[in-house]
Amino acid sequence: MLSNLANGFSAALSFQALMFCFIGVSVGTFVGVLPGIGALAAISMLLPLTYYLDPMVGLIMLAGIFYGAQYGSSTAAILLNIPGTATAAITCLDGYPMAKNGRAGVALFMTSIASFAGGIFAICMLMFFTPALASLALSFNSAEYFSAMFLGLIAASTLSVGSPLKGMAMVVLGLALAIPGTDINSGLMRFTYGHYEMAEGFQLVAIAMGLFGISEILTMLVRREKPRVLARDITFRSMLPTRDDWSRFSWPAARGAVIGSIVGALPGSGPSMATFVSYAVERRAAKDPSRFGKGAVEGIVAPESANNASVQAAFIPTLSLGVPGDAVMAILLGALMIHGIIPGPEFIQQQPTLFWGLVASFWIGNIVLLILNVPLIGLWVRLLTVPYRVLYPTMLFLICIGVYSVRSNGFDVGVALAFGLLGMLMNLLRYPTAPVLLGFILGPLIEEHFKRALLVSRGDMMIFIDRPISATLLAIAGLLLLLSAWQTIHMRRKARRDAVEGETAATREFFDE
C-alpha cells in the first residue's frame, strides 16, 4: 500500500494535477460560502471541462469541488444562519448563536480544524477498506450488481430529507429519463419520436446543469432571497479558541469522524444524515445538553467533522462497487464513464495510478483547504457581499456555454433550460432533485445487469434470491421500504392527532369565554 501511495503522490504532485486540485478546492470553497449554489451546481458547470483533461486530473478537480464546498458551507451557516449547502444546516443551530455572542471567529476556526480532522480520518478509511471491499466484490455477478444498485436507489429515496414517497417518485422519474435513446441489447432507438438528437438519450451534463444549476438560480430569484452579512470584524485574534474550547474539541471531532466515515460509506446515506446523527450523539453524550442550541462548541465540531468524513468515505462504494452514494458521486461516476472508465471491483487493479493518485490528491487538497480557510476567513466572509444581480447572470451564461460545448448542439441547451424550470418547480413544491440524477445515471446500469442476470438464469427471477449476497441486499432494501412506510403512517397519524387536539383546545377556549 505504501508503494502504491508513493506512486499516487508522484502522479498527484505533477504540475497539472496540483493546479487543478487547487482550482477545485478553491471553487468548492467559493460555492460553499455563497448560499444556495452548492457543489452540485459547480460540478455540473465544470463537468464539460473534464472532457479535455486527463481522467485523473478531471476527477481530482471535481472531487476537490465536492469536499471543498463542505469546508466553505459552514461560513454562511455561522454568519447568516443560512447553510451554504444542505449538509451545513445543523451547523446553524450552534454556529449562529456563537456569532451573535461575538465568537464568530472562533466558530469558523474550529469548524475548519474539525473538517480537516474528519477528512483525514476518512481518507485513511478509504485507503484501507476500498481495496478490501473491491476484492470481496470480485465474486459479484450481475445479480449482485443489480441488487446493490437497487439498494442504493431505495436508500437514496427513503433516507433523503422529506417525504420518502416523493423521493421514490423522483427515483422513478430518473429511471424513466434513462429509457429514451438506443437499446443496449437490440441497438434500436426507443422513445426518440424521430428526433435524432435523442439517439444517445438525454445528456448527463444538460440534466445536471438544469436540475442543480439553473433551477437553484431561478428558485433564489423567485423567492427573492437576499442574505445579509452580520457586520462583525473577524480578525486573527478573534479566531483564537480558549483552553475550554480545545478541551471540548477532541472527542466530538473523533466521534464525528467515525460516524461520518461509517455513514458515508453506506450507499444512499449521504453527508446530511451523518451530520444529524453526529449532532444527536453529541447531545446524548453531553453532561449538559441544555447548552446545545445556544452556542456549544461540540454542536459545530462534531457535525463538521462528520460532514467532511462522510464526503471522503462516499468514494468507497463508488470506486469499489460502482454504486454512487449520492448525486455528486453519481456525477463523478458519470464523468469516469464518459472517459470509458467503469468503477467497480477491478477498478483498482486496472487503474491503480488513477485510484492512488486520487487518494494522494485528497491529502494534498485537505492541506490546501486548511491553508485557504484559516488565514483567508476574512476574504471568504467578504465574498458574501457579492451582488447577486452580477453573480446570477454570469452563472447562467457559463451554464449555457458549458452545455453547448459538449456536442455543439443547441438542443442540449434547450434541454438544460427545460430541466431548470422543472427543477425550480420541484424545489418550490419540496420534491428532492438528487434522486432524479441517481436514477438517471444508474438506470442504464441497472437495466444492463438485470437483463444479463435473466439471460444467465434463462428468465428465472429466482436468481436474485438464490444467491446469498443478492438476497441480503434485497432484504435490506425491503426493510428500508417497510421502515419508510411505517414512518410515513406514523407521521400522518401524529399530524391528525395534533390537528384534533388543536381543534379541541380551540373549542374549549371558545366555550370558556
Side-chain angles (χ1 to χ4, degrees):
M1 187 183 66
L2 292 177
S3 62
N4 287 328
L5 188 60
N7 293 332
F9 270 106
S10 65
L13 289 173
S14 65
F15 175 76
Q16 190 181 29
L18 280 175
M19 181 178 67
F20 281 96
C21 178
F22 180 79
I23 292 173
V25 297
S26 300
V27 172
T29 307
F30 175 78
V31 299
V33 168
L34 294 175
I37 299 178
L40 272 172
I43 290 175
S44 301
M45 282 188 285
L46 292 179
L47 183 60
L49 180 62
T50 62
Y51 293 3
Y52 312 102
L53 295 174
D54 179 79
M56 184 188 72
V57 174
L59 192 62
I60 285 174
M61 181 186 69
L62 296 181
I65 295 173
F66 187 24
Y67 59 83
Q70 314 309 316
Y71 274 78
S73 61
S74 60
T75 302
I78 292 170
L79 296 176
L80 302 174
N81 203 27
I82 300 175
T85 61
T87 56
I90 203 73
T91 308
C92 296
L93 298 180
D94 285 279
Y96 189 65
M98 288 184 69
K100 290 197 296 184
N101 295 333
R103 308 195 70 211
V106 174
L108 292 170
F109 180 83
M110 297 293 276
T111 54
S112 297
I113 303 298
S115 298
F116 178 78
I120 292 301
F121 180 83
I123 294 172
C124 296
M125 294 273 291
L126 178 67
M127 292 167 52
F128 284 101
F129 286 98
T130 303
L133 186 59
S135 300
L136 174 65
L138 285 173
S139 60
F140 280 25
N141 67 5
S142 294
E144 280 82 7
Y145 277 119
F146 169 81
S147 301
M149 293 178 184
F150 181 75
L151 172 61
L153 290 179
I154 294 298
S157 60
T158 58
L159 298 180
S160 60
V161 179
S163 171
L165 292 178
K166 290 183 178 180
M168 294 180 63
M170 293 302 98
V171 167
V172 173
L173 175 60
L175 292 173
L177 293 174
I179 294 176
T182 305
D183 183 74
I184 298 174
N185 294 324
S186 65
L188 298 176
M189 290 192 295
R190 58 189 184 187
F191 296 103
T192 58
Y193 301 103
H195 294 282
Y196 290 100
E197 296 90 347
M198 291 291 296
E200 299 178 5
F202 290 110
Q203 290 295 308
L204 169 64
V205 177
I207 291 183
M209 287 191 176
L211 286 178
F212 301 103
I214 297 176
S215 65
E216 291 296 332
I217 296 173
L218 295 179
T219 303
M220 296 287 283
L221 290 175
V222 168
R223 292 175 176 171
R224 297 181 180 180
E225 296 181 359
K226 296 181 179 180
R228 298 178 180 178
V229 184
L230 283 173
R232 298 184 183 276
D233 295 328
I234 299 177
T235 62
F236 182 75
R237 179 174 295 181
S238 68
M239 293 189 296
L240 296 177
T242 62
R243 183 175 298 179
D244 181 64
D245 294 332
W246 282 118
S247 66
R248 301 177 184 275
F249 174 86
S250 302
W251 283 110
R255 283 189 290 263
V258 173
I259 293 171
S261 299
I262 295 173
V263 174
L266 301 176
S269 54
S272 297
M273 179 180 294
T275 56
F276 280 94
V277 171
S278 64
Y279 188 82
V281 169
E282 286 308 312
R283 285 199 64 172
R284 186 68 60 88
K287 296 180 180 179
D288 184 13
S290 63
R291 295 175 53 254
F292 284 77
K294 301 176 183 178
V297 174
E298 304 95 312
I300 61 173
V301 169
E304 286 299 314
S305 178
N307 181 8
N308 286 267
S310 64
V311 166
Q312 303 285 359
F315 284 89
I316 296 176
T318 303
L319 298 179
S320 61
L321 300 176
V323 180
D326 57 12
V328 177
M329 287 290 106
I331 293 182
L332 296 178
L333 178 66
L336 285 174
M337 294 170 64
I338 288 171
H339 287 279
I341 301 171
I342 307 298
E346 299 180 356
F347 171 73
I348 299 176
Q349 295 179 0
Q350 295 177 353
Q351 303 286 339
T353 303
L354 176 56
F355 173 76
W356 291 104
L358 185 64
V359 172
S361 75
F362 290 164
W363 287 95
I364 298 170
N366 276 273
I367 294 173
V368 171
L369 280 167
L370 190 64
I371 297 173
L372 280 176
N373 277 270
V374 176
L376 300 180
I377 283 177
L379 174 63
W380 300 123
V381 171
R382 291 184 180 88
L383 284 176
L384 293 172
T385 61
V386 173
Y388 277 60
R389 65 179 181 272
V390 175
L391 185 64
Y392 288 158
T394 304
M395 290 176 60
L396 283 173
F397 176 76
L398 292 174
I399 287 173
C400 293
I401 292 296
V403 172
Y404 184 81
S405 66
V406 176
R407 298 193 304 177
S408 300
N409 194 336
F411 177 79
D412 294 337
V413 178
V415 170
L417 294 174
F419 277 98
L421 293 173
L422 176 64
M424 180 193 69
L425 293 175
M426 291 168 60
N427 290 334
L428 295 177
L429 297 175
R430 299 186 183 278
Y431 279 83
T433 53
V436 178
L437 196 62
L438 281 172
F440 174 74
I441 291 179
L442 288 182
L445 296 174
I446 286 180
E447 179 185 4
E448 178 184 356
H449 289 294
F450 180 75
K451 289 182 177 180
R452 188 180 296 171
L454 291 181
L455 284 173
V456 171
S457 66
R458 297 182 179 181
D460 187 6
M461 294 286 290
M462 293 300 294
I463 188 175
F464 298 106
I465 301 177
D466 291 339
R467 299 181 67 87
I469 297 178
S470 176
T472 302
L473 295 174
L474 290 178
I476 296 173
L479 289 175
L480 287 177
L481 285 174
L482 292 176
L483 178 62
S484 63
W486 180 82
Q487 288 179 341
T488 302
I489 296 173
H490 179 70
M491 290 173 62
R492 288 183 177 178
R493 287 180 177 177
K494 184 179 180 182
R496 290 176 183 174
R497 193 182 306 116
D498 293 341
V500 171
E501 291 177 356
E503 292 177 359
T504 305
T507 305
R508 288 176 180 173
E509 291 180 1
F510 175 77
F511 283 107
D512 290 342
E513 291 178 358

